[in-house]
Amino acid sequence: MSPSARATSDHVAVITLVRGRREHLARQQRSLSRGTVRPGQWVVVAMDDPGLVDFSPRDGVRPTVVHLDADPRQLPLAAARNAGAERALAGGARVLVFLDVDCLAGPHLVSSYDAAVTDDPDVVWSGPVTYLPAGLDEEQLATPWTLDSPHPARAMPPPGQRVLGAPPELFWSLSFALSARAWEATGGFCEDYVGYGGEDTDFGMLVVERGLEHGWLGDARAYHQHHPTSSPPVQHLEAVVRNGAVFRDRWGWWPMTGWLEAFEERGLVERVGDDWRLVEGARVDHPTT
């Protein structure tokens, strides 16, 4: 099938958040354009990124850019997802696909999410994500499925299979899809979370609380482009502690305990009873992206 002849699912919207990462965003656009089915909308939420007004690919999937102001505490990830969904729904979307800006879409990602959500609109579907190594050239990045090796932390099924009953605490916003009806039932992401950490697990819990279900979808494969990071994510120290406390207040337990314990080993946080707090004077510079 030639690129100009590809089918489009008018009722499917892909929603992507971005600040910087322009090359990653451009590659994602090309991956969506090469898919067996293209989305009817590609909503790109620019978080304090006014330069994105110039992002206008000449061929393939065209972006609808939504601009969102910065939050002084860090990137407003939860609010940005909600803003993207609002725009997509206003444009007539019935299937919402959320795809991290670092992720390339596999050839069947849009079509398989569309089919699964249409068949089971009360399930929030998540597909496998492969973390790509550094140093790939553009030809390799154009065919990332040749390096398919999903992250081992989530026991995703192989292509052709769907599995219901995925644990809500393993929900991951890198790549997921749900119906407009399911989105409205959840009320979206809790905007008390600002910056990195906690909002994913909160949404996973919210899905189950609202009577919906999580599922894993083997055909909806995505490929995470490499970028420098740290483990534990010390650049997100303040957000992890702040958002962890928000989660504790909402659900009665602390998420991200592996990171918190690693921060504790580095003298950055301390336990106070059942809570975690920043050690006085502990600060880490915020990332720019």
Side-chain angles (χ1 to χ4, degrees):
M1 183 184 293
S2 67
S4 60
R6 293 189 187 280
T8 299
S9 285
D10 291 334
H11 59 272
V12 176
V14 173
I15 299 162
T16 302
L17 317 185
V18 65
R19 184 184 180 191
R21 296 269 206 275
R22 203 66 81 242
E23 290 185 357
H24 283 203
L25 183 68
R27 292 192 193 104
Q28 183 183 101
Q29 186 270 344
R30 292 194 290 271
S31 74
L32 290 169
S33 300
R34 288 192 295 259
T36 57
V37 173
R38 291 174 173 176
Q41 299 180 67
W42 182 38
V43 179
V44 178
V45 184
M47 299 176 292
D48 190 30
D49 192 352
L52 200 68
V53 70
D54 296 328
F55 180 65
S56 183
R58 287 182 289 180
D59 300 309
V61 176
R62 301 296 179 90
T64 297
V65 179
V66 176
H67 290 280
L68 195 67
D69 291 337
D71 187 297
R73 293 171 291 176
Q74 276 191 345
L75 293 181
L77 300 173
R81 292 192 187 101
N82 292 345
E86 181 179 1
R87 176 61 63 88
L89 293 171
R94 300 194 302 275
V95 175
L96 305 178
V97 177
F98 290 80
L99 192 63
D100 187 275
V101 67
D102 293 322
C103 286
L104 303 170
H108 305 289
L109 182 139
V110 170
S111 60
S112 59
Y113 271 142
D114 185 11
V117 170
T118 300
D119 290 345
D120 293 288
D122 292 326
V123 177
V124 176
W125 294 100
S126 297
V129 177
T130 291
Y131 274 73
L132 298 173
L136 300 181
D137 60 32
E138 290 299 325
E139 182 177 353
Q140 291 170 305
L141 288 167
T143 56
W145 49 88
T146 62
L147 301 170
D148 190 87
S149 180
H151 195 286
R154 285 154 179 81
M156 294 290 186
Q161 292 188 18
R162 302 175 184 176
V163 176
L164 296 177
E169 63 273 16
L170 292 184
F171 173 75
W172 211 2
S173 65
L174 285 178
S175 174
F176 73 99
L178 74 173
S179 66
R181 182 176 75 189
W183 174 263
E184 290 165 357
T186 66
F189 282 77
C190 174
E191 296 186 12
D192 293 342
Y193 296 90
V194 178
Y196 184 78
E199 84 282 0
D200 280 14
T201 310
D202 186 284
F203 188 79
M205 298 292 291
L206 192 61
V207 165
V208 174
E209 183 189 65
R210 299 297 166 85
L212 306 170
E213 192 170 1
H214 288 280
W216 282 328
L217 182 61
D219 285 334
R221 305 181 93 79
Y223 303 89
H224 188 281
Q225 302 170 81
H226 179 80
H227 62 80
T229 187
S230 61
S231 182
V234 292
Q235 72 272 31
H236 299 297
L237 170 66
E238 294 176 4
V240 167
V241 176
R242 181 182 62 246
N243 288 344
V246 171
F247 187 98
R248 184 274 323 275
D249 291 344
R250 284 169 57 82
W251 301 102
W253 52 278
W254 279 82
M256 305 178 286
T257 53
W259 288 347
L260 290 166
E261 289 169 356
F263 292 154
E264 183 183 34
E265 291 176 1
R266 289 162 173 77
L268 299 173
V269 303
E270 60 186 353
R271 300 186 202 218
V272 181
D274 293 330
D275 288 339
W276 296 84
R277 296 180 187 173
L278 285 170
V279 171
E280 186 174 355
R283 293 290 185 273
V284 178
D285 290 339
H286 292 167
T288 57
T289 58

